[in-house]
Amino acid sequence: MKTIVIPISTSFTIRNVLYTDTLRILLAEPDIRIVFLAPREKIDHYRNQFKHAHIIFEVMPELKKLRQERFFRVLESSSIHSRTVSMIHWFDLKRKGSRMNIMKRFPLFLLRRCAWWVGQFKGWRTAIRMIFYSIPSRIFREIFDTYHPDLVFCPAMVYGEPVLSREAKKYGITTVGMILSWDNFYSKTFLRAPPDCLLVHTNSIRDQAITFADYPRDRIIVIGIPQYDSHFQRTRLKSRNDFIGKELGGNPSKKLLLYAMSGKNGLSIEFDILDIIYQAIRNKEIKEDIDVLVRPYPRYDLPQKKLDILKKEYGFLAKQSMIHVGTGADNWEFNEDSLALLENSLMHADVVITMFSTFFIEAAVYDKPLIAVAFDGYKTYDYYNSARRFFDWDHLAEIKPLGGIQITRNKEELVQAINTYMAHPLLLKDGRQRIVRQQCEYMDGRAGERVAKALLDSISRSTDERQSLWKRTRRK
């Protein structure tokens, strides 16, 4: 049996790997065994969800809690010489409601700014990689000794996965890495422990890997976005009546406004935006008779009480976007129902509003009019706490000039945009198509296949190299 070790360091891995064709194709190979490393509190859930004779779940060491790993994670992310990271440093210094005293924040800010400045030099990044690699560690020794893996696949390259990649390389195990999301090279990693082969979603991310992570072009494979395969395949769709009417309790004959929440950086503003939309409907400023569906961001899901308030007081449609498994901050998880909710929300929406989430890409795949929120609701924040800053982040700045998104900077512009795109959904269609071409690369729904092929090819090369080494050794 050929063994692949795959860590589940984030719940997005479930969506990006286990619910894609990658897993199906790997398991179709009779001599492939997959060992998933999962959080202890979720391992029983995964074992029940993904039962197969060639799948094994083992406990993932709690790498996030290692002091050494926390240090290198902050050092690495602070050393990325991007506009996004520079803005994050200023935001952390000026953050409203921060629990850290300014006397502690300021020295940390200065240290991070120094790291950001020297981070523009390849020598600094190389030095960090060398120091990180030289640190002795046997965290995964038992896993390696038990299963003798032929390949380690790190599908995020963040959240502790560099430790696994580093130890695999020390054991002489072939490594393949994949970048988790479109913003990672701009804000999270320069590949502290570079894999032998790197999978990226798009040509744009390939260029970022070369620029920010010094990664060789000839070892990068552009594969598309595996988690978007089902968007292109349209595999989980329901009728409008079944989804809006029966599942959500809305009116299928009304137009549907989908508000997708973006995460913790925008939470203080987003409830104001929802109230503005509600007041505009109530005061007949929005001309269409519409339903509003609120989709919480999975990682920062809204408690049921908040959803009930949105439903009872505002009359909005709302449903939790994930399930809860385990305890702590990472107790959220995707399943078939949550993925079906996501896809049907996009399919049946008539207009999509968000602040800075990947819904700008996903809604464009479904050719839905896109409205961005770039103001602070009823408040006025300074730039580094304001929604005005989001489209200056590098990854959003890339899609801004493509012309597929209506950016609104006050309540009046937001209401006008809703009215305009409800009445004229084909506006900015060409821009949305440009977003899909730039940010998805492939639109054939076969990215998961390309991931599986890359992994199988890496195992084959690794086997051939070991056999060649064995033959040379025998001749000597």
Side-chain angles (χ1 to χ4, degrees), residues 309-371:
I309 290 172
L310 292 174
K311 290 191 280 189
K312 291 176 182 177
E313 294 189 10
Y314 286 0
F316 289 173
L317 309 176
K319 190 174 181 179
Q320 286 187 317
S321 58
M322 35 65 78
I323 61 172
H324 290 281
V325 179
T327 59
D330 294 323
N331 71 341
W332 60 279
E333 195 58 78
F334 290 104
N335 64 1
E336 280 288 348
D337 289 341
S338 57
L339 294 173
L341 174 64
L342 167 64
E343 292 169 28
N344 282 279
S345 298
L346 288 162
M347 181 65 191
H348 296 296
D350 294 283
V351 170
V352 176
I353 301 177
T354 191
M355 194 173 289
F356 56 87
S357 82
T358 55
F359 265 65
F360 287 127
I361 306 172
E362 291 172 275
V365 170
Y366 288 84
D367 195 24
K368 303 299 179 178
L370 290 163
I371 299 173

Side-chain angles (χ1 to χ4, degrees), residues 52-312:
H52 193 281
H54 289 180
I55 290 180
I56 299 170
F57 285 97
E58 292 283 1
V59 174
M60 176 80 164
E62 295 189 61
L63 300 174
K64 295 179 185 179
K65 295 183 178 180
L66 294 177
R67 183 178 302 175
Q68 185 185 97
E69 173 59 16
R70 292 202 303 269
F71 169 78
F72 274 101
R73 188 168 66 244
V74 172
L75 180 62
E76 179 182 26
S77 61
S78 296
S79 299
I80 299 170
H81 195 76
S82 67
R83 180 171 52 198
T84 300
V85 168
S86 179
M87 292 173 66
I88 289 171
H89 291 171
W90 282 101
F91 167 68
D92 287 343
L93 176 67
K94 299 186 175 189
R95 184 199 297 261
K96 289 188 177 296
S98 174
R99 296 179 182 178
M100 186 184 292
N101 186 287
I102 186 64
M103 298 304 293
K104 293 182 179 179
R105 273 185 282 158
F106 189 69
L108 181 60
F109 168 76
L110 292 179
L111 289 173
R112 293 173 77 187
R113 294 303 292 167
C114 289
W116 179 82
W117 186 81
V118 296
Q120 65 187 295
F121 302 111
K122 181 178 179 180
W124 173 256
R125 299 188 294 271
T126 301
I128 291 176
R129 293 187 189 109
M130 292 175 64
I131 294 169
F132 180 70
Y133 185 81
S134 69
I135 294 172
S137 173
R138 296 184 174 184
I139 296 174
F140 293 98
R141 179 177 180 176
E142 185 176 346
I143 295 290
F144 293 160
D145 288 346
T146 301
Y147 294 104
H148 304 287
D150 299 88
L151 179 72
V152 166
F153 173 43
C154 294
M157 291 307 299
V158 289
Y159 305 125
E161 291 184 15
V163 177
L164 175 58
S165 179
R166 176 189 68 192
E167 293 199 18
K169 291 172 79 69
K170 288 184 177 182
Y171 271 76
I173 302 167
T174 300
T175 55
V176 175
M178 184 169 73
I179 292 302
L180 178 66
S181 189
W182 62 333
D183 66 339
N184 283 189
F185 280 125
Y186 287 132
S187 62
K188 289 184 174 64
T189 183
F190 59 67
L191 300 180
R192 228 185 310 151
D196 297 312
C197 173
L198 181 66
L199 310 182
V200 299
H201 297 160
T202 65
N203 284 319
S204 175
I205 298 177
R206 177 202 61 198
D207 294 341
Q208 295 164 33
I210 296 167
T211 301
F212 290 98
D214 318 302
Y215 200 84
R217 179 184 291 267
D218 60 356
R219 285 162 47 194
I220 300 174
I221 303 174
V222 179
I223 47 97
I225 307 179
Q227 61 267 31
Y228 289 3
D229 282 354
S230 58
H231 290 333
F232 292 109
Q233 296 168 357
R234 310 288 165 97
T235 54
R236 298 184 178 94
L237 297 185
K238 304 174 183 178
S239 70
R240 191 174 180 90
N241 185 63
D242 285 345
F243 178 65
I244 297 177
K246 295 180 181 179
E247 183 172 336
L248 299 178
N251 186 342
S253 64
K254 290 183 179 181
K255 290 191 175 179
L256 184 65
L257 173 66
L258 173 61
Y259 188 92
M261 304 186 86
S262 297
K264 65 178 181 179
N265 283 331
L267 269 181
S268 63
I269 298 169
E270 291 190 299
F271 286 108
D272 278 5
I273 303 300
L274 291 173
D275 188 72
I276 286 171
I277 293 171
Y278 167 69
Q279 297 297 338
I281 294 171
R282 182 180 170 186
N283 297 331
K284 308 295 184 185
E285 295 173 74
I286 294 177
K287 297 180 174 62
E288 291 272 0
D289 186 16
I290 65 172
D291 270 335
V292 177
L293 171 59
V294 179
R295 183 187 187 271
Y297 185 73
R299 195 174 180 185
Y300 305 102
D301 197 25
L302 298 180
Q304 192 60 47
K305 286 185 179 179
K306 289 238 182 228
L307 295 177
D308 289 341
I309 290 172
L310 292 174
K311 290 191 280 189
K312 291 176 182 177

Side-chain angles (χ1 to χ4, degrees), residues 46 61 126 134 227 255 299 373 409 413 455 468:
Y46 293 147
T126 301
S134 69
Q227 61 267 31
K255 290 191 175 179
R299 195 174 180 185
V373 174
R409 294 175 175 82
E413 288 186 4
L455 298 181
S468 176

Side-chain angles (χ1 to χ4, degrees), residues 411-465:
K411 171 198 167 182
E412 291 73 27
E413 288 186 4
L414 176 62
V415 173
Q416 182 181 357
I418 294 171
N419 286 326
T420 298
Y421 293 103
M422 285 290 181
H424 305 286
L426 295 181
L427 289 174
L428 303 187
K429 180 182 179 71
D430 290 345
R432 294 193 292 272
Q433 291 176 342
R434 286 191 288 269
I435 290 174
V436 175
R437 286 195 296 271
Q438 182 196 76
Q439 295 295 324
C440 295
E441 204 67 49
Y442 293 102
M443 291 159 274
D444 56 3
R446 299 177 62 184
E449 289 184 31
R450 283 184 281 273
V451 174
K453 183 179 185 303
L455 298 181
L456 294 172
D457 287 348
S458 292
I459 287 180
S460 178
R461 284 195 300 273
S462 175
T463 302
D464 291 345
E465 288 170 3

